[in-house]
Amino acid sequence: MEYREKMQAWLNDPCIDEASKAEIRAIDDEQELEDRFYKELEFGTAGLRGILGAGTNRMNRYVIARASQGLADTILAEGPAAAKKGIVIAHDVRHGSELFTKIAAEVFAANGIKTYVFKDICPTPMLSYGVRYLGTQSGIVITASHNPKNYNGYKVYWDKGSQILSDVADRIQEAIAALAFKDVKSLDFEKGLDAGIIEYCPEALDQAYYHATLIRALREDVDKSIKVVYTPLNGTGNKPVRHVLAERGFESIHVVAEQENPDPDFTTVGYPNPEDVKAFKYAEALGDELGAELLLATDPDCDRVSMEVRHDGKYVSFTGNQIGSLLAHYILSSLYEKKGLFEGGAIVKSIVTGDLPKRIAKSYGVATFETLTGFKNICALANRWDETKEYTFLYGFEESIGYVYGDHVRDKDGVIAAMLIVEMAAYYKKQGKTLVDVLNELFIQYGYHKEFLKSLVLEGMDGAERIARMMAHFRAADYQAFGELGVTECVDFNEENPVGRSNVLKYYLDDGSWFAVRPSGTEPKIKLYIYVVDRDEAVAAKKVKALEDAVVAELESVK
C-alpha cells in the first residue's frame, strides 16, 4: 500500500480524533506526508522511538495505545500469574510523556493487568529497579532519552528489570500487527485508581532504590569538599542525583539554575546529550564562576552521564570510553584494596566499546565479556548469571556514556554513575591528582588508546535507504587495507556468531586497531567507531586520523 492510501485509511478511521486528522490535512509538504505514512513506527528491541505528531510513523496516542494493547496481549499470554504481577510505568519530562503514561495505564487496566504508575517524573534506572522491587512481569518508561524535544519513546522491560530482547519484542510486534485501533481496550484512569487495578508506586520504592545505590559507595577516604557543578539538563536527574550526593556527604554541589527544573523544550541546550560538549556550556560558565573542579551532566532520563574536569586551569572533556575506563579502574582497584577481588567477577561491554577496560580488568584477574550494543544485551548476562552462578556481574558500560555498577539495576544508571564519578574525583583530589592525571597514568601503563566516533545523520525514507546502501557497499567490498593499515579480518555480525546477530561490521587491522560501522537502532544515523592503541601517543593519533580520512571518505562515497 502506497503512503497516500495509508494516509487516507488513517483519515477515514473513526477511532482517530478530528484534531489529529486536521493536523494531517493542514500539511501541504508532500515529502512530510510521505515520511509520516510510508511505514508504521517500528517496534524493536528498544520499543518505540520517534517524532511526535499525527500519522503512522509518528509518536502519538494511537501508536501508544496500540503498542500497549500488543504488550498487554503478550503479558496475558504468559498466564493469569503474569497479569496479577502486573506492570509498572514511569515517564520523563518530555512533551506527551504524562499523557502517554495515562493512556498506557488505561489499556493495561482494561485488560485486567495490575498497573503501577510513578506519580512524578522518574529516571529510567529507577523504573528498572521498580520492576524488580515490585516483582512485576513488565515495565515501561516513556522517554526518548537524549533525543531533541520533538521526539518521544516507549521502552519496554521484562521481569528481570532489563529491556526486552528480541524473543519478547518479536511476540509484542506480532501482537501489535494483528490489531486495529478499534481493538484497543481502555478503562478511564481515575476509575482504574478507584477500582485498585491502577495504583501509584509506593514511596518506599524510591527509598529502597536510594539505599541500594548508597550501599555501593566504594571509599570514605575522599575529599568531600570537592566543588562540583551539576546539570540535569532539565531532565529527571535533578532530585535523585542531588539526593545521593547529599547522603554521601559531599558539601559543595552546585546546580545550573537554568537547567535545574523540567523543561520539555530543553530551551537552553536544544540537543540534551551530555556526549556533546556543547551541553556543558552553562555548566562551564558556572564552573568558572565558582572555581569548580568537576562538571557533571546527566541526560533527560538520567540513564547516562558525562563529565568535564578542571586541569591546568581549563575544563577538559572526556569520551564515554575514557570515563568507562576510569570507572573500571576505580571500581576494580577499590574492590581489590578492600577485600581482594572475589573469584568469578566479570565486567561487560559492547562490541563497539574500546578495549582499555578489558586490559585493566585482566590485570586484576577479572574476566571481560562482550555483547551486542545496548544495555538489554549487557544486562542479559547479569540475568543469566543469576541462574548459572557462573560469574558475578560487577560493572557494565558502553562508549555512549552508559554505566552501571552492581546488579540491583539492570540498565545503565546515571545516578550511581554520578555518585561514583564524584567519589572517584574526590578520592584522587585527596592524592593531589585530577582525573586527567589518572587517565594519563592508565595510558602510560596500558598504551595510548585513541578513538574517533562519528555519526552521519540521515533522516527520513531517503536517509534510511542510503544507510542501507552504505552497509551493502561495505559488505560487497573485499577491503585489503584502509590507509596504511591492512585488514586481517572482517566480522559481519549479521551472520552467525557467538555474540548474536546485529547489523554491524567490524574490521580488525594488522596493528591491533579496529573500526566498526553500525546503523543506530533508535535514531536516523549510521555510526562509525575507530579505536587504535600504541605505546607512542603521537603515533596513535596519526593512526586515528588516517583511518578517519579513509573510512569516512568510503562511507560518504555512497550516495
Side-chain angles (χ1 to χ4, degrees), residues 197-219:
I197 190 73
I198 298 175
E199 183 180 326
Y200 285 116
C201 293
E203 187 179 333
L205 192 166
D206 296 32
Q207 298 308 313
Y209 169 76
Y210 290 138
H211 175 73
T213 301
L214 289 163
I215 62 172
R216 284 168 172 80
L218 290 165
R219 294 182 184 272

Side-chain angles (χ1 to χ4, degrees), residues 341-347 365-367 369 385 389-394:
L341 286 170
F342 40 85
E343 190 174 343
I347 66 172
V366 172
F369 289 83
W385 295 336
K389 310 299 181 187
E390 186 180 2
Y391 289 93
T392 298
F393 184 93
L394 296 177

Side-chain angles (χ1 to χ4, degrees), residues 155-169:
K155 287 200 292 192
V156 181
Y157 294 71
W158 213 233
D159 59 344
K160 293 285 190 180
S162 54
Q163 292 182 52
I164 54 172
L165 294 172
S166 58
D167 56 341
V168 176

